[in-house]
Coordinates of all heavy atoms in Angstrom, one line a residue:
P60 N 10.8 -9.8 -11.6 CA 10.7 -10.6 -10.4 C 9.3 -11.1 -10.2 O 9.0 -12.0 -9.4 CB 11.1 -9.7 -9.3 CG 10.9 -8.3 -9.8 CD 11.1 -8.4 -11.3
L61 N 8.3 -10.5 -10.9 CA 6.9 -10.9 -10.7 C 6.3 -11.3 -12.0 O 6.6 -10.8 -13.1 CB 6.1 -9.7 -10.2 CG 6.5 -8.9 -9.0 CD1 5.6 -7.7 -8.8 CD2 6.6 -9.8 -7.8
K62 N 5.4 -12.3 -11.9 CA 4.6 -12.7 -13.1 C 3.1 -12.5 -12.7 O 2.7 -13.0 -11.7 CB 4.9 -14.3 -13.3 CG 4.4 -14.7 -14.6 CD 4.9 -16.2 -14.9 CE 3.7 -17.1 -14.6 NZ 4.1 -18.5 -14.4
M63 N 2.4 -11.8 -13.6 CA 1.0 -11.6 -13.4 C 0.2 -12.9 -13.6 O 0.3 -13.4 -14.7 CB 0.5 -10.5 -14.3 CG -0.9 -10.0 -13.9 SD -1.7 -9.2 -15.3 CE -0.5 -7.9 -15.6
V64 N -0.4 -13.4 -12.6 CA -1.2 -14.6 -12.8 C -2.7 -14.4 -12.9 O -3.4 -15.3 -13.4 CB -0.9 -15.7 -11.8 CG1 0.5 -16.3 -12.0 CG2 -1.0 -15.2 -10.4
S65 N -3.1 -13.3 -12.4 CA -4.6 -13.0 -12.6 C -4.8 -11.5 -12.4 O -4.1 -10.8 -11.8 CB -5.3 -13.8 -11.6 OG -6.3 -13.1 -10.9
R66 N -5.9 -11.1 -13.1 CA -6.2 -9.7 -13.1 C -7.8 -9.6 -13.2 O -8.4 -10.2 -14.0 CB -5.7 -9.0 -14.4 CG -5.9 -7.5 -14.4 CD -5.2 -7.0 -15.7 NE -5.8 -7.6 -16.9 CZ -5.3 -7.5 -18.1 NH1 -4.3 -6.7 -18.3 NH2 -5.8 -8.1 -19.1
Q67 N -8.3 -8.8 -12.3 CA -9.8 -8.6 -12.3 C -10.1 -7.1 -12.3 O -9.6 -6.4 -11.5 CB -10.4 -9.2 -11.0 CG -10.5 -10.7 -11.0 CD -11.1 -11.1 -9.7 OE1 -11.9 -10.4 -9.0 NE2 -10.9 -12.4 -9.3
E68 N -10.9 -6.8 -13.3 CA -11.3 -5.4 -13.4 C -12.7 -5.2 -12.8 O -13.6 -5.9 -13.0 CB -11.4 -5.0 -14.9 CG -10.1 -4.5 -15.4 CD -10.1 -4.0 -16.8 OE1 -11.0 -3.1 -17.1 OE2 -9.4 -4.6 -17.7
S69 N -12.8 -4.1 -12.0 CA -14.0 -3.8 -11.4 C -14.8 -2.8 -12.2 O -14.2 -2.1 -13.1 CB -13.7 -3.1 -10.0 OG -14.8 -2.4 -9.6
R70 N -16.1 -2.7 -12.0 CA -16.9 -1.8 -12.8 C -16.5 -0.3 -12.6 O -16.6 0.5 -13.5 CB -18.4 -1.9 -12.4 CG -19.1 -3.1 -13.1 CD -20.6 -3.0 -12.8 NE -20.9 -3.1 -11.4 CZ -21.0 -4.3 -10.8 NH1 -20.9 -5.4 -11.4 NH2 -21.3 -4.3 -9.5
D71 N -16.0 0.0 -11.4 CA -15.6 1.4 -11.2 C -14.2 1.7 -11.7 O -13.7 2.8 -11.5 CB -15.7 1.7 -9.7 CG -14.7 0.9 -8.8 OD1 -13.7 0.4 -9.4 OD2 -15.0 0.8 -7.6
G72 N -13.6 0.8 -12.4 CA -12.3 1.0 -13.1 C -11.1 0.6 -12.2 O -10.0 0.6 -12.7
S73 N -11.4 0.1 -11.0 CA -10.2 -0.4 -10.2 C -9.8 -1.8 -10.8 O -10.6 -2.5 -11.4 CB -10.7 -0.6 -8.8 OG -11.1 0.6 -8.3
V74 N -8.6 -2.1 -10.7 CA -8.1 -3.4 -11.2 C -7.3 -4.1 -10.1 O -6.4 -3.4 -9.5 CB -7.1 -3.2 -12.4 CG1 -6.8 -4.5 -13.1 CG2 -7.7 -2.2 -13.4
K75 N -7.6 -5.3 -9.9 CA -6.9 -6.1 -8.9 C -5.9 -7.1 -9.5 O -6.4 -7.9 -10.4 CB -7.9 -6.7 -8.0 CG -7.3 -7.5 -6.9 CD -8.3 -7.5 -5.7 CE -7.6 -8.1 -4.5 NZ -8.2 -7.8 -3.3
Y76 N -4.7 -7.1 -9.1 CA -3.7 -8.0 -9.6 C -3.2 -9.1 -8.7 O -3.1 -8.8 -7.5 CB -2.5 -7.2 -10.1 CG -2.7 -6.2 -11.1 CD1 -3.2 -4.9 -10.8 CD2 -2.5 -6.5 -12.5 CE1 -3.5 -4.0 -11.8 CE2 -2.7 -5.6 -13.5 CZ -3.2 -4.3 -13.2 OH -3.4 -3.4 -14.1
L77 N -3.0 -10.2 -9.2 CA -2.3 -11.3 -8.4 C -1.0 -11.6 -9.1 O -0.9 -11.9 -10.3 CB -3.2 -12.5 -8.3 CG -2.7 -13.6 -7.3 CD1 -2.8 -13.1 -5.9 CD2 -3.4 -14.9 -7.5
F78 N 0.1 -11.4 -8.3 CA 1.5 -11.6 -8.9 C 2.1 -12.9 -8.3 O 2.0 -13.1 -7.0 CB 2.4 -10.4 -8.6 CG 1.9 -9.2 -9.3 CD1 1.5 -8.1 -8.6 CD2 2.0 -9.1 -10.7 CE1 1.1 -6.9 -9.2 CE2 1.6 -7.9 -11.4 CZ 1.2 -6.8 -10.6
E79 N 2.8 -13.6 -9.1 CA 3.5 -14.8 -8.6 C 5.0 -14.4 -8.4 O 5.6 -13.8 -9.3 CB 3.4 -16.0 -9.5 CG 3.9 -17.3 -9.0 CD 3.7 -18.4 -9.9 OE1 2.5 -18.7 -10.2 OE2 4.7 -19.0 -10.3
L80 N 5.6 -14.8 -7.3 CA 7.0 -14.5 -7.0 C 7.8 -15.7 -7.6 O 7.3 -16.8 -7.9 CB 7.2 -14.3 -5.5 CG 6.3 -13.3 -4.9 CD1 6.4 -13.4 -3.4 CD2 6.6 -11.9 -5.3
H81 N 9.2 -15.6 -7.5 CA 10.0 -16.6 -8.1 C 9.9 -17.9 -7.4 O 10.1 -19.0 -8.0 CB 11.5 -16.2 -8.1 CG 12.0 -16.0 -6.8 ND1 12.5 -17.1 -6.0 CD2 12.1 -14.9 -5.9 CE1 12.9 -16.6 -4.8 NE2 12.7 -15.3 -4.8
D82 N 9.5 -17.9 -6.1 CA 9.3 -19.2 -5.4 C 7.9 -19.7 -5.4 O 7.6 -20.6 -4.6 CB 9.8 -19.0 -4.0 CG 9.2 -17.9 -3.2 OD1 8.2 -17.3 -3.8 OD2 9.6 -17.5 -2.1
G83 N 7.0 -19.1 -6.2 CA 5.7 -19.7 -6.4 C 4.6 -19.0 -5.4 O 3.5 -19.2 -5.6
H84 N 5.1 -18.3 -4.4 CA 4.2 -17.5 -3.6 C 3.5 -16.4 -4.4 O 4.0 -16.0 -5.4 CB 4.8 -16.9 -2.4 CG 5.3 -17.9 -1.4 ND1 4.5 -18.9 -0.9 CD2 6.5 -18.1 -0.7 CE1 5.1 -19.6 0.0 NE2 6.4 -19.2 0.1
T85 N 2.3 -16.0 -3.9 CA 1.5 -15.0 -4.6 C 1.2 -13.8 -3.7 O 1.0 -14.0 -2.5 CB 0.3 -15.5 -5.2 OG1 -0.5 -16.3 -4.3 CG2 0.5 -16.4 -6.4
V86 N 1.2 -12.6 -4.3 CA 0.8 -11.4 -3.5 C -0.2 -10.6 -4.4 O -0.1 -10.7 -5.6 CB 2.0 -10.5 -3.1 CG1 2.8 -11.2 -2.0 CG2 2.8 -10.1 -4.3
E87 N -0.9 -9.7 -3.8 CA -1.9 -8.9 -4.5 C -1.4 -7.4 -4.5 O -0.8 -6.9 -3.6 CB -3.2 -8.9 -3.7 CG -3.9 -10.2 -3.7 CD -5.2 -10.1 -2.9 OE1 -5.6 -9.0 -2.6 OE2 -5.7 -11.2 -2.7
A88 N -1.9 -6.7 -5.5 CA -1.8 -5.3 -5.6 C -3.1 -4.8 -6.3 O -3.7 -5.5 -7.1 CB -0.6 -4.8 -6.3
V89 N -3.5 -3.6 -6.0 CA -4.7 -3.0 -6.6 C -4.5 -1.6 -7.1 O -3.9 -0.8 -6.4 CB -5.9 -2.9 -5.5 CG1 -7.2 -2.6 -6.2 CG2 -6.1 -4.3 -4.7
L90 N -5.0 -1.4 -8.3 CA -4.9 0.0 -8.9 C -6.3 0.6 -8.6 O -7.3 0.0 -9.1 CB -4.7 -0.1 -10.4 CG -4.7 1.2 -11.1 CD1 -3.5 2.1 -10.8 CD2 -4.8 0.9 -12.6
L91 N -6.3 1.6 -7.9 CA -7.6 2.3 -7.6 C -7.7 3.6 -8.5 O -6.7 4.4 -8.5 CB -7.7 2.7 -6.2 CG -7.7 1.5 -5.2 CD1 -7.2 1.9 -3.8 CD2 -9.0 0.8 -5.2
L92 N -8.8 3.8 -9.1 CA -8.9 4.9 -10.0 C -9.8 5.9 -9.3 O -10.9 5.6 -8.9 CB -9.6 4.4 -11.3 CG -9.8 5.4 -12.4 CD1 -8.4 5.7 -12.9 CD2 -10.6 4.8 -13.5

Side-chain angles (χ1 to χ4, degrees):
L61 307 177
K62 194 172 100 193
M63 192 199 304
V64 287
S65 137
R66 183 180 57 190
Q67 285 183 19
E68 274 186 53
S69 159
R70 279 189 298 273
D71 64 20
S73 304
V74 190
K75 182 149 187 161
Y76 294 86
L77 189 69
F78 294 115
E79 188 178 300
L80 310 167
H81 65 84
D82 55 6
H84 288 310
T85 49
V86 290
E87 295 178 9
V89 188
L90 175 72
L91 298 159
L92 187 67

